[in-house]
Amino acid sequence: MEDKNIILSVKDLVIKFHLRGQVLTAIRGASLDLYEGESLAIVGESGSGKSVFTKSFMGLLDGNGWIDSGEIIFEEEDISKYDTEDEWINIRGKKIAMVFQDPMTSLNPLKIIGKQVQEAIELHQGIHGEEAKKKTIEILDDVGINEPEKRYHQYPHEFSGGMRQRVVIAISVACNPRILICDEPTTALDVTIQAQILNLLKDLKEKYNLTVIYITHDLGVVANVADRIAVMYAGDIIEIGLCEEIFYNPQHPYTWALLSSLPQLGVKGEPLFSIEGTPPNLFYEIKGDAFAPRNPNALKIDFVKRPSYFEVSPTHKAKTWLLDPRASHVAPHKPIKISRQSSGKPKMPKGNKEVLLDVKNLRVEFGRRKKDKFVAVNDVSFNIYKGETFGLVGESGSGKTTIGRAIIRLNETAGGDIIFDGKKINGKINKELDKEVTRRVQMIFQDPMASLNERAKVEYIVSEGLYNLKNYKDDEERKEKVEKAVLDVGLLPEFLSRFPHEFSGGQRQRIGVARALIMEPDLIIADEPISALDVSIRAQVLNLMSELQKEKGLTYLFIAHDLSVVRFITDRVAVIHKGRIVELAETEKLYEHPLHPYTRALFSAIPLPDPRLERNKKLEIYDPSIHNYEKEPPRWVEIEPEHFILANDRELDAYLGKLEKYSR
């Protein structure tokens, strides 16, 4: 990298915070050189210090935080010594800008989006009036907002999540910065929108001569956009190298572990690799390698002395004693193979399938008045076999969660039937059947914090279903059931006296699973159960669900927009678009040979944890106008055994031709 100019240099940075009467060291001597014109990805679990590290470049640390030592050199000045707003005003936004994770909280809901972008232009570029408005419309067009003149006058709530993120990017670009920091810019977005935003950022980087820093907890996301990757753990950068070097030749055990935790690299039917233990407590001094307690290959010196960087190549270095010439060679705990391995999961025998849930021509509407009615789910049919994991995938707003809520009787149905274990459970049913459904069909929700009562102790949260149905003889039996439920999900009985805020995200989700398990259900609807979790915690929860399925014979309806996870865990998948299922098949068959154009577009956007494949991948865009269903309406057709598709006669002929081609 000698031929590139260093635009920002961080040396031995230490950042501390006052918390609850103690001092927390969030950044522990981290160093980094950022080169002009590059895309650098900073990856690591939540709490590793990624956001704190980069916020220090803009003077955005919380009031209880401070830079204790070290340097941040930008434009030949040590900006770490800045301590007034007047000093930062020439840096923040104007020279270093940030795209935040949640676009809704970043935008003023009471102000039209055009004015919000224009304010940045007027403040940082010195342009005003009509000229500033013209520039605003140009930038809105650059970030892919259609009809920018019209959209200029609209409010944030009139935009989708992806469009709001484009507006936030437009505001950052409007500042005309040298460095753009993107803090989890795609976390809350669907896979197709995620791919579009990442491509947009790549294009803007070239057009506006930006140096870009991506902050993420998912290595798979950055394979397409990053020139270099810095891996962060416990407030320090423990490995840094070119994108290909990190993916194909990782050296630090933590990097191995992060890569191995990706569902795309797992073997179906086998437990996904997960990182045992938890990150260290940063309130206390850390001796040696911070990852050592979680590293099965740790050496004695790892617990005593902190390693310095060892050079792997001129562009690649890592802080691990395993690279010391005196250390014996240690291979990664499992082979890291970028190409996905074939499924090892045994398929269900063809003649041995018992239907547990049968959904027929389901229709769900919202709105009381006829003119206000919105059809959220339209003519949906599928069944779920006992003991299988059935996936339901699609973009936000497609109707996935609405179907799940209709099954557990939280959403009323406007038509069709939901048959559970031979009994119709939608519409008006008697109290006994309602009680039976409540016990036998449970739901795990997306956000483990929002779904748990923060003012209640874990014991009450897990017991809630028992209380409601009075499903216990006495308090002693209830306590026994509660203890068994928490033990089943890998938690300790002493946790029962604690509150949800005292647990990590993964632990809170385990509490949610325990709350469902205690009812002894047959069917669990898992609605985005891992979307808010780190890749390593995600692996733990997925493994837990698989283990419980084997032990207790559970059946899952797994609702998700993370298609790599769905491929890893499900037996069959249904793809839904705007309230209608467009394709349904066995998981591997569907992923290998998708037929419907929407399925193909959705699957083409799945991030591949392989830089070479990801950069050569072609993203397909779905255009509903290709169908011409007004003249020839579609029907739900079983195109081959267990493979269904929504198609008219013309499309059906084309799909049959593709099937024949695949079978050759």
Side-chain angles (χ1 to χ4, degrees), residues 378-502:
N378 186 18
D379 198 26
V380 162
S381 298
F382 63 90
N383 56 40
I384 301 177
Y385 302 118
K386 281 187 180 180
E388 81 165 332
T389 300
F390 184 90
L392 187 58
V393 302
E395 295 169 290
S396 297
S398 60
K400 308 185 298 294
T401 297
T402 301
I403 292 171
R405 290 173 64 88
I407 294 169
I408 61 169
R409 298 179 50 78
L410 289 177
N411 285 341
E412 291 184 6
T413 58
D417 297 322
I418 301 173
I419 313 295
F420 176 71
D421 203 14
K423 300 173 185 174
K424 182 180 175 180
I425 62 171
N426 60 313
K428 290 185 179 180
I429 60 175
N430 62 53
K431 286 184 179 180
E432 283 303 311
L433 182 56
D434 186 53
K435 189 176 178 181
E436 183 185 343
V437 173
T438 302
R439 185 188 70 77
R440 295 181 64 191
V441 183
Q442 288 287 306
M443 196 164 195
I444 301 170
F445 296 91
Q446 178 174 355
D447 187 345
M449 196 62 198
S451 64
L452 303 179
N453 185 345
E454 359 180 312
R455 297 184 179 182
K457 292 181 180 180
V458 171
E459 183 179 1
Y460 178 82
I461 292 169
V462 177
S463 301
E464 200 167 1
L466 297 179
Y467 286 132
N468 292 337
L469 295 182
K470 296 182 172 58
N471 196 19
Y472 58 97
K473 294 177 188 174
D474 50 37
D475 202 52
E476 189 177 336
E477 187 186 44
R478 179 192 63 77
K479 286 180 179 178
E480 285 177 6
K481 286 187 174 185
V482 170
E483 286 190 10
K484 186 177 184 305
V486 295
L487 284 169
D488 282 344
V489 300
L491 298 175
L492 299 173
E494 50 259 41
F495 291 174
L496 294 171
S497 59
R498 299 183 188 176
F499 293 92
H501 72 268
E502 298 179 73

Side-chain angles (χ1 to χ4, degrees), residues 127-193:
I127 305 171
H128 300 275
E130 283 301 312
E131 191 181 352
K133 184 177 179 180
K134 184 182 176 183
K135 185 69 176 176
T136 298
I137 290 168
E138 285 178 12
I139 292 173
L140 289 175
D141 187 52
D142 283 346
V143 299
I145 292 176
N146 297 324
E147 299 180 281
E149 296 89 350
K150 178 184 175 183
R151 292 289 210 169
Y152 178 98
H153 299 282
Q154 293 181 327
Y155 291 88
H157 73 269
E158 298 179 81
F159 286 66
S160 66
M163 283 298 166
R164 285 197 294 267
Q165 191 63 294
R166 290 173 186 266
V167 173
V168 173
I169 293 168
I171 293 170
S172 299
V173 169
C175 300
N176 201 22
R178 296 184 68 191
I179 299 172
L180 182 64
I181 302 169
C182 301
D183 190 359
E184 301 275 11
T186 63
T187 295
L189 304 177
D190 293 313
V191 65
T192 51
I193 308 299

Side-chain angles (χ1 to χ4, degrees), residues 444 526 529 540-549 556 558 569:
I444 301 170
Q540 293 175 16
V541 174
L542 287 174
N543 289 341
L544 172 67
M545 290 179 67
S546 295
E547 290 165 11
L548 292 171
Q549 184 176 40
Y556 291 127
F558 196 90
I569 199 171

Side-chain angles (χ1 to χ4, degrees), residues 200-267:
L200 169 66
L201 287 167
K202 281 177 70 178
D203 294 341
L204 292 174
K205 173 182 174 292
E206 298 304 318
K207 182 167 185 174
Y208 289 90
N209 297 314
L210 297 167
T211 301
V212 183
I213 299 174
Y214 294 93
I215 300 170
T216 181
H217 64 263
D218 193 340
L219 265 165
V221 168
V222 297
N224 185 20
V225 295
D227 300 313
R228 287 194 304 151
I229 295 174
V231 182
M232 234 173 154
Y233 185 78
D236 194 14
I237 295 172
I238 49 96
E239 185 166 5
I240 186 166
L242 298 176
C243 185
E244 288 83 358
E245 289 174 326
I246 298 299
F247 274 96
Y248 303 141
N249 188 31
Q251 294 297 315
H252 198 284
Y254 179 63
T255 313
W256 300 342
L258 275 185
L259 280 166
S260 298
S261 299
L262 292 171
Q264 299 98 312
L265 305 184
V267 179

